[in-house]
Amino acid sequence: MRKHASMILATVASLFVIAGCHLPEEEEPVISVRSVSLDRSKENMTIGGTAILYATVLPENALDKSIEFSSSDASVATVDADGVVTAVKAGTAVITVQSKAYENKKATCTVTVKDPEESNFISLKLESDGTWSFDMLPNDYVIVVEYEDE
């Protein structure tokens, strides 16, 4: 009985091929988004400035890797579909990127916007020992001072 069943299956499969029909193929497994991340979690900006946030969706072979950006306060900072953030006014906004297919897969970046008129200053002082000291805001600038001793 087993021998006849195998021959019948082989014959049916041969008829499908001869008739131009195809046996159903196995479907590829759906690969879900596992995570969405941003290249940074904080960004300090000044009014009018722009920054680009780069998002990564994993795994790389996920079926639907589409994402969308949003701002918690567009009056402070806006973000476009490509992750370009524009600082509008002083304050704090949270930029979120999330998977369109899996809304629970998301990442955030806190954007702090400062008014350049109020936040940037450098104060230099010549000390009694002949050295210079300085204070500066914001403190993420690098100053290089070169001089020649005469």
Side-chain angles (χ1 to χ4, degrees):
M1 176 104 165
R2 188 175 272 174
K3 190 176 196 181
H4 296 292
S6 297
M7 287 180 62
I8 291 171
L9 285 175
T11 305
V12 170
S14 299
L15 289 174
F16 266 84
V17 172
I18 293 169
C21 300
H22 300 285
L23 292 173
E25 294 180 18
E26 287 186 32
E27 293 184 22
E28 288 188 33
V30 175
I31 307 296
S32 302
V33 171
R34 229 178 305 143
S35 68
V36 175
S37 61
L38 286 170
D39 61 327
R40 58 192 171 276
S41 61
K42 295 179 185 177
E43 181 68 30
N44 294 314
M45 302 177 71
T46 56
I47 295 172
T50 60
I52 301 174
L53 297 177
Y54 295 97
T56 303
V57 179
L58 293 176
E60 290 186 16
N61 62 340
L63 183 63
D64 185 352
K65 292 177 62 173
S66 60
I67 55 172
E68 61 185 352
F69 287 90
S70 62
S71 173
S72 66
D73 190 344
S75 71
V76 172
T78 61
V79 62
D80 70 12
D82 297 317
V84 177
V85 179
T86 302
V88 179
K89 74 173 189 179
T92 302
V94 176
I95 304 300
T96 301
V97 61
Q98 76 177 37
S99 166
K100 286 184 178 182
Y102 304 92
E103 292 180 3
N104 63 330
K105 304 298 181 186
K106 57 182 134 185
T108 61
C109 176
T110 301
V111 175
T112 303
V113 180
K114 302 278 186 186
D115 185 339
E117 298 295 321
E118 298 173 5
S119 62
N120 295 333
F121 76 87
I122 298 175
S123 171
L124 293 171
K125 179 181 178 186
L126 179 59
E127 302 291 343
S128 60
D129 65 358
T131 61
W132 289 91
S133 65
F134 64 91
D135 292 317
M136 132 179 96
L137 276 178
N139 57 9
D140 58 353
Y141 286 102
V142 174
I143 295 180
V144 177
V145 179
E146 294 182 22
Y147 68 93
E148 288 185 26
D149 202 13
E150 292 185 33

